[in-house]
Amino acid sequence: MRSDIQPNERAFSSKEVAEELGIATPTVRKYGQILERNGYEFLKDGDRRIFVQSDIRVLIALRDSEKPLEDTAKDLVFQQKERLEGYDETQIAISDTYENLPHDPNQLNEFLRFLVSELAAAREMNVQLKNDMTELKTAVSRLQQDHHDISANIGNSSNKTYTKIEKLAEQQKIQYETILEQEKQTIDFLQEEIQNIREEQRKEWRSQDDFNKRLEIVIQKPRDKWGWLFSLFRK
């Protein structure tokens, strides 16, 4: 069962994927059959495949591969399994914030500051991920340069080394994109939570202000000995 699909993630039909990749719709079906035959998991609506962004990247890799399609499909299936296993291990379940939302203004402000700090931490992690990706690209470039320097002497073995380097770079790229997408969703969630809490706080303030105004009117104009007291609870 696919566990890497995000809420509200856009889904594509075979026709839309064909237009995106610049290939025929039957070719998209052919690629899907090859991938499934080797163990790849698609979302399904009955017998119809539903594609998401990660599936489109896999189809692009299959389209651009210079190796036999079956061999490339096996590599892509292996990458998907690794990605899904890693997603299951790191996925964090976020509880319903509104059930435990504090009503005290001071506690609400403290909770708001906490969310802001979490958002800042998520942004810092995003910057760190970008820096790590830059370092990875530099390391891959150095490996490619080293490969170029020794390619004249090692013949066929150099081609194997280059293939491994490219595979490693592709795996790291997929992992980086997955983590970056998760961090983006976390940032979006925190921003939405901050906005919702601010709205709740404004509603509390307006309600308190209305109550104070009604109390002031009743106190200034009591109807009888006890009427002003009872009128506080009529609205």
Side-chain angles (χ1 to χ4, degrees):
M1 182 67 183
R2 291 284 292 271
S3 59
D4 61 332
I5 307 303
Q6 302 300 325
N8 301 321
E9 184 171 4
R10 181 183 174 186
F12 299 83
S13 65
S14 297
K15 182 179 179 181
E16 292 173 328
V17 173
E19 293 174 353
E20 181 76 15
L21 272 62
I23 58 179
T25 302
T27 304
V28 174
R29 298 193 186 99
K30 173 186 174 182
Y31 287 171
Q33 292 171 355
I34 293 174
L35 289 166
E36 284 184 332
R37 188 162 60 241
N38 286 278
Y40 192 91
E41 293 184 26
F42 287 100
L43 289 177
K44 290 291 191 70
D45 182 10
D47 294 330
R48 185 170 64 91
R49 297 183 187 89
I50 299 175
F51 302 87
V52 294
Q53 284 293 342
S54 58
D55 299 326
I56 292 177
R57 289 193 293 269
V58 168
L59 293 176
I60 291 174
L62 195 62
R63 179 199 65 185
D64 297 340
S65 176
E66 297 180 356
K67 299 191 300 182
L69 294 181
E70 291 288 338
D71 293 342
T72 302
K74 291 177 182 178
D75 293 339
L76 294 171
V77 169
F78 176 78
Q79 292 173 14
Q80 186 196 45
K81 290 181 179 179
E82 282 192 331
R83 185 172 69 253
L84 292 179
E85 290 174 358
Y87 188 87
D88 289 338
E89 292 174 358
T90 58
Q91 187 179 28
I92 301 175
I94 302 176
S95 60
D96 188 359
T97 305
Y98 297 104
E99 292 181 357
N100 300 315
L101 188 65
H103 298 287
D104 183 85
N106 293 329
Q107 294 180 350
L108 198 59
N109 286 331
E110 183 177 355
F111 185 69
L112 181 61
R113 287 194 296 270
F114 170 78
L115 286 180
V116 171
S117 66
E118 287 294 311
L119 177 60
R123 288 176 175 169
E124 290 179 0
M125 183 177 295
N126 189 26
V127 172
Q128 183 61 44
L129 286 172
K130 290 181 179 179
N131 292 336
D132 292 343
M133 188 60 185
T134 300
E135 294 177 0
L136 177 62
K137 289 180 178 179
T138 301
V140 171
S141 297
R142 290 174 180 172
L143 288 172
Q144 290 175 334
Q145 183 61 43
D146 292 340
H147 162 73
H148 178 73
D149 293 337
I150 64 175
S151 60
N153 297 323
I154 63 175
N156 292 334
S157 61
S158 65
N159 292 330
K160 295 180 181 179
T161 302
Y162 183 79
T163 300
K164 291 180 180 179
I165 291 171
E166 284 193 324
K167 185 182 295 184
L168 174 62
E170 183 62 24
Q171 291 174 350
Q172 292 294 334
K173 179 182 177 182
I174 292 174
Q175 293 175 359
Y176 167 76
E177 290 174 347
T178 300
I179 295 173
L180 191 61
E181 180 64 22
Q182 293 174 358
E183 293 303 323
K184 179 179 179 299
Q185 291 170 1
T186 300
I187 291 172
D188 292 342
F189 172 80
L190 290 174
Q191 289 175 336
E192 183 178 352
E193 287 299 302
I194 290 171
Q195 184 63 32
N196 290 337
I197 290 174
R198 286 175 175 169
E199 185 60 29
E200 289 293 327
Q201 196 173 43
R202 283 194 289 268
K203 289 180 181 178
E204 290 289 337
W205 288 339
R206 286 196 294 268
S207 177
Q208 184 65 42
D209 185 61
D210 291 340
F211 177 83
N212 291 340
K213 289 179 180 178
R214 293 198 302 270
L215 177 61
E216 183 179 355
I217 291 172
V218 170
I219 292 175
Q220 291 177 353
K221 298 179 179 181
R223 295 180 181 178
D224 52 47
K225 184 177 182 180
W226 300 102
W228 70 272
L229 179 60
F230 295 144
S231 65
L232 294 177
F233 305 98
R234 292 175 183 171
K235 296 185 179 180

